[in-house]
Amino acid sequence: MITAENLTKRYGGYTAVDDVTFEVRPGTVTGFLGPNGAGKSTCMRMMCGLTPPTAGATTVLGKPYAALPNPGRHVGVLLDASAQHTGRTGREVLTLGAMVMGLDRSRVDEMLDLVGLTESESGRRIGNYSLGMRQRLGIAHALLGDPQVLILDEPANGLDPAGIRWMRGLLRGYADEGGTVLLSSHLLHEIEVVADELVVIGRGRIVAQGSKAELMASSGTTVRTTDDAAFAGRLQEAGLQVTAAPSGLLVQAEPLQIGTLAATHGVVLVELKEAGSAGLEEMFLQLTADDAREEVAA
């Protein structure tokens, strides 16, 4: 279990995290979503005791991180895969971690095998690793102590599509066995397929949170017709919110209401379905538009 209660961090007159409250339950993967600079990493650093909060508090397994005995045996953390000693080999990094945590050296071989780093790769200096290899090593280090909780900040950066699929399967299996996972990303699709719960943050404040099913159910309906532009006008006349989707229109209404309106006006429907991930992405972009570098169309 991870809890954040009224978590706030100010740097002078700038508020990086503003009154954030949420929890991450055992047996779930919680996706922590937001644009770059939204406050995700600052929240995670406060959870791990690396950045003191201005106000509020966080606990992991019911205690502040600093109060956990031998914390690596309870919480696995990956905040920055590039922040590893470039002069050491991957095996040396894991061996040192095992020594600090009081683990048997055999655990190092288990983790190298788990994350797919070969004997040759583990013997290379980290300065010669690709970003994807550093991510795999970072995940191995996070899992080294067989922790109950994982806190991972952008772990998919640098991984190829096969690596991302591998990571998703690994984390899904970890949660299914009762583990607690907090997984941050600025890209919705990276974690949509693995997350059970979502927390969306923008400008340091939570703008949406809940189960993935709940948020996807509230994300609208996708509709395609033989004349989308004309039907968009009809929908707007009916007081419905309409935006252009990758294929058709995204409407904030139930499919039955849209289908009834189409029948009333003799509109030929090509597709009508709950928006699902497309609507969730659109909702994410709209909710975090003020914090994004790119403009979001209204």
Side-chain angles (χ1 to χ4, degrees), residues 23 136 283:
E23 68 176 32
R136 288 176 181 268
M283 181 189 69

Side-chain angles (χ1 to χ4, degrees), residues 261-282:
L261 190 64
T264 299
H265 294 284
V267 174
V268 177
L269 294 177
V270 177
E271 183 178 30
L272 180 65
K273 64 179 182 180
E274 291 184 347
S277 61
L280 189 58
E281 181 179 57
E282 185 66 26

